[in-house]
Amino acid sequence: MTKTELENAIKNGESVWVVDEEENKIEELHFYKNNIYEFDKNDLFINKFWIYEFRKLFKTKAEAEHYLNHTNITRTEQLPFLTWEEFLDKKELFFTNKSGYPMCLCVVDTRLSKKIGLGGANGYFDLQQTWDLTEANFYKAYDECVRLFKGGEQL
């Protein structure tokens, strides 16, 4: 809400909705004729008991709910843990690097031998690195996946 909209709501005895992010709820804030309030230079609305930020005051309950449910959404990504045996069974590990680029560690079956391949996985496979298909090489390849996942530069 703007300062003018809030002033008009107070003058008209209307209520507004305030978002309490710490409590993860919204509350209706009622105005009465004898309300004592002020505005400060930091876009804060101060009434008798509480201080509210303008950005957390809304004209309607629906607007307040929308703000509460759709701000500060976070996503936690994890690199899937895979053992050598699981890798041989699944034959692939999909993940995203630090930049969000899709990556794939997989078994590549060439005409001559099987290898471990690492590359992009966004609709096509651009092999960036290969290793012979051994347990020791799997751990080296998985270390490379961890490095890329944490933010190491691509090859």
Side-chain angles (χ1 to χ4, degrees):
M1 287 187 87
T2 66
K3 181 179 175 181
T4 305
E5 290 172 328
L6 186 55
E7 286 174 326
N8 288 337
I10 293 168
K11 285 177 190 172
N12 297 330
E14 298 170 359
S15 60
V16 297
W17 293 88
V18 62
V19 172
D20 183 342
E21 290 175 305
E22 289 178 17
E23 297 287 326
N24 196 35
K25 65 180 181 178
I26 60 172
E27 294 178 18
E28 192 171 13
L29 184 59
H30 299 279
F31 296 117
Y32 305 100
K33 290 186 179 190
N34 295 333
N35 264 7
I36 297 172
Y37 67 92
E38 62 181 279
F39 300 102
D40 87 345
K41 62 184 178 188
N42 297 317
D43 292 332
L44 296 176
F45 167 67
I46 304 167
N47 76 359
K48 197 172 184 180
F49 302 105
W50 303 101
I51 299 173
Y52 304 100
E53 297 175 70
F54 283 146
R55 68 182 182 86
K56 294 184 182 180
L57 295 173
F58 299 89
K59 295 178 210 172
T60 66
K61 184 177 182 179
E63 289 175 341
E65 286 174 337
H66 177 71
Y67 177 88
L68 182 63
N69 295 327
H70 298 100
T71 55
N72 301 320
I73 295 172
T74 58
R75 181 176 76 188
T76 303
E77 294 180 89
Q78 289 184 297
L79 179 65
F81 178 76
L82 202 60
T83 64
W84 166 241
E85 291 80 16
E86 291 170 326
F87 179 68
L88 288 176
D89 183 48
K90 292 182 180 181
K91 298 187 181 7
E92 58 191 16
L93 167 68
F94 291 98
F95 66 99
T96 56
N97 68 11
K98 179 74 173 182
S99 303
Y101 183 80
M103 303 292 297
C104 180
L105 181 70
C106 67
V107 174
V108 179
D109 195 357
T110 68
R111 290 182 181 174
L112 302 175
S113 65
K114 291 185 177 183
K115 301 226 178 241
I116 299 171
L118 174 65
N122 58 347
Y124 60 91
F125 191 69
D126 55 337
L127 229 59
Q128 296 172 355
Q129 225 173 332
T130 59
W131 298 264
D132 290 332
L133 185 63
T134 66
E135 185 173 0
N137 284 339
F138 165 74
Y139 292 116
K140 289 177 188 174
Y142 194 83
D143 286 344
E144 182 64 12
C145 294
V146 170
R147 187 184 73 77
L148 291 171
F149 184 80
K150 287 183 171 182
E153 291 183 21
Q154 287 202 241
L155 305 169

